[in-house]
Amino acid sequence: MKSLCIIPCGKKKIWDKQADVGPVSAREAYIGTFHHLCETYADHFKLDWVVLSAKHGFLLPKDIVPENYDVTFNQKSNQIVTGDFLANQVKNKHLDVFPRIVVLTGRKYKPFISAAFSLPNPEIVYPLEGCKGIGHMQQRLKTAVANDTPIHSV
């Protein structure tokens, strides 16, 4: 069964190291450790993946991120994408063809993912749920790749 993996964007971005780099693909934009581990996990287990950004919504690896930003799902801001916006992206980017969604994010993303994938209703799994913080999440991802043992149901 083909799965879509949703990975978080992260605060650390390429512009933090190279301020004048200009627009880049989503694959290049996010450079934080947790994001990198999630991307490595998805690639290792041959999962199609998208980044979930509070500002841009779902970004395919080749989608362009125009510039640096600092918007998170934790804050109150009119720059945060809505559930309706995400649901439209699911349809327009053909993310609704996947019968299973593997979500490698923290719990703050859960309401947005639920709103985005309300219809049709794919199976949504959160294999990092129950982890006791970012360090535990990172260790689970590293171990899964090192041992070639997925943490999501296959």
Side-chain angles (χ1 to χ4, degrees):
M1 178 184 316
K2 194 69 173 159
S3 297
L4 174 68
C5 188
I6 298 175
I7 63 179
C9 58
K11 182 172 178 63
K12 197 170 186 181
K13 300 172 187 70
I14 190 71
W15 299 279
D16 296 327
K17 287 190 172 190
Q18 300 172 348
D20 61 345
V21 76
V24 297
S25 70
R27 183 181 285 277
E28 300 169 284
Y30 306 101
I31 60 171
T33 302
F34 184 62
H35 173 86
H36 177 72
L37 287 169
C38 291
E39 190 176 313
T40 299
Y41 178 90
D43 287 341
H44 181 82
F45 291 107
K46 298 178 179 30
L47 301 171
D48 290 327
W49 58 269
V50 293
V51 174
L52 179 53
S53 159
K55 181 174 176 86
H56 299 292
F58 293 112
L59 295 165
L60 298 166
K62 292 183 180 179
D63 285 347
I64 299 298
V65 181
E67 60 191 5
N68 201 2
Y69 65 94
D70 189 17
V71 178
T72 70
F73 286 111
N74 284 343
Q75 65 191 140
K76 301 273 189 226
S77 170
N78 61 357
Q79 293 183 41
I80 297 174
V81 295
T82 65
D84 288 340
F85 180 84
L86 293 172
N88 285 331
Q89 281 188 314
V90 165
K91 183 177 178 184
N92 295 335
K93 293 186 178 209
H94 308 289
L95 305 179
D96 54 354
V97 301
F98 295 92
R100 179 181 294 136
I101 310 297
V102 177
V103 183
L104 299 180
T105 67
R107 68 180 141 262
K108 66 185 172 188
Y109 291 79
K110 207 169 189 176
F112 294 93
I113 291 166
S114 296
F117 289 96
S118 59
L119 292 173
N121 191 15
E123 176 188 5
I124 302 175
V125 296
Y126 296 85
L128 296 175
E129 196 166 52
C131 285
K132 297 180 186 336
I134 193 76
H136 188 209
M137 291 178 181
Q138 290 175 343
Q139 189 58 44
R140 288 198 67 197
L141 293 167
K142 286 180 191 175
T143 301
V145 170
N147 296 337
D148 196 29
T149 306
I151 57 174
H152 68 283
S153 55
V154 289

